[in-house]
Amino acid sequence: QSALTQPPSASGSPGQSVTISCTGTSSDVGGYNYVSWYQQHPGKAPKLMIYEVSKRPSGVPDRFSGSKSGNTASLTVSGLQAEDEADYYCSSYAGSNNLGVFGTGTKVTVL
Amino acid sequence: EVQLVQSGAEVKKPGESLRISCKGSGYSFTSYWISWVRQMPGKGLEWMGRIDPSDSYTNYSPSFQGHVTISADKSISTAYLQWSSLKASDTAMYYCASGSSADYWGQGTLVTVSS
């Protein structure tokens, strides 16, 4: 199972929006509505931000939103804040008895 | 409060064996799979394998099959990741995760393998 493709970096000024893409295939992203997004600050464990394409866990600000079109999922962070600067990883279900696959990761910089 | 608490950092030599742990609390340990994730220095996340604590059924990524063993003891709400013969390339941070969408993560265990 190959890693999902994400851009290595993305950036925006405080208050602006940034969108990160996550491209897979019809065997993972395109085949199921089970895409998750994780935020990881340096030296910290990943944190779930979005699950099942567009659902937010309790406590995650509504500035974070997810969507999917075909084989590409996206995470949008609106109203960028300094604390949003982190690495972001997507992950997709890829069928039963398959662990799923992570994306390559995107470093978001708040300018 | 759901918590996954992992064992502490380890420094080992190549060829040595190791078992690290992940103890769950604040939820029904047998309700969700426990997954293990590797993060090599400066690199991304990789799913290694997972276990259903209710019956110890396991799935492994082909990349890790045969090199690591995942187990669990539901009586003490603890999952394990073990190696029988470490390599320098096993140097990494290892995380456990649980929940229907890997909602909850342990703090990570740093494993350093060096002669």
Side-chain angles (χ1 to χ4, degrees), chain A residues 15-100:
Chain A
Q16 290 187 330
S17 295
V18 65
T19 296
I20 305 165
S21 61
C22 168
T23 301
T25 69
S26 58
S27 296
D28 37 64
V29 174
Y32 309 95
N33 289 322
Y34 289 107
V35 175
S36 301
W37 288 91
Y38 301 90
Q39 175 192 66
Q40 187 180 33
H41 287 110
K44 298 295 187 182
K47 174 186 175 183
L48 179 68
M49 305 301 285
I50 295 287
Y51 67 100
E52 293 178 16
V53 176
S54 60
K55 298 178 181 178
R56 274 188 312 276
S58 174
V60 172
D62 60 6
R63 302 185 292 104
F64 291 85
S65 62
S67 62
K68 191 187 85 165
S69 178
N71 296 337
T72 298
S74 298
L75 173 71
T76 298
V77 186
S78 305
L80 269 174
Q81 299 183 5
E83 59 261 35
D84 299 332
E85 186 163 292
D87 293 325
Y88 291 82
Y89 294 91
C90 60
S91 178
S92 176
Y93 178 72
S96 61
N97 278 336
N98 190 309
L99 295 178

Side-chain angles (χ1 to χ4, degrees), chain A residues 99, chain B residues 29 32-36 49-59 70-73 79-80:
Chain A
L99 295 178
Chain B
F29 187 70
Y32 301 108
W33 293 74
I34 294 278
S35 296
W36 286 94
R50 62 180 183 172
I51 187 165
D52 181 343
S54 67
D55 61 6
S56 290
Y57 179 79
T58 52
N59 272 150
I70 295 171
S71 59
D73 185 343
Y80 303 97

Side-chain angles (χ1 to χ4, degrees), chain B residues 16-87:
Chain B
E16 291 187 331
S17 63
L18 174 64
R19 188 177 77 167
I20 63 175
S21 66
C22 168
K23 183 174 176 60
S25 63
Y27 74 107
S28 174
F29 187 70
T30 54
S31 293
Y32 301 108
W33 293 74
I34 294 278
S35 296
W36 286 94
V37 175
R38 183 176 77 174
Q39 188 167 39
M40 298 180 77
K43 302 298 184 182
L45 304 173
E46 302 172 88
W47 296 110
M48 300 177 67
R50 62 180 183 172
I51 187 165
D52 181 343
S54 67
D55 61 6
S56 290
Y57 179 79
T58 52
N59 272 150
Y60 292 92
S61 162
S63 300
F64 296 93
Q65 179 87 46
H67 187 56
V68 298
T69 301
I70 295 171
S71 59
D73 185 343
K74 62 183 178 182
S75 69
I76 55 172
S77 301
T78 301
Y80 303 97
L81 176 65
Q82 68 182 62
W83 296 259
S84 58
S85 181
L86 286 160
K87 304 175 185 178

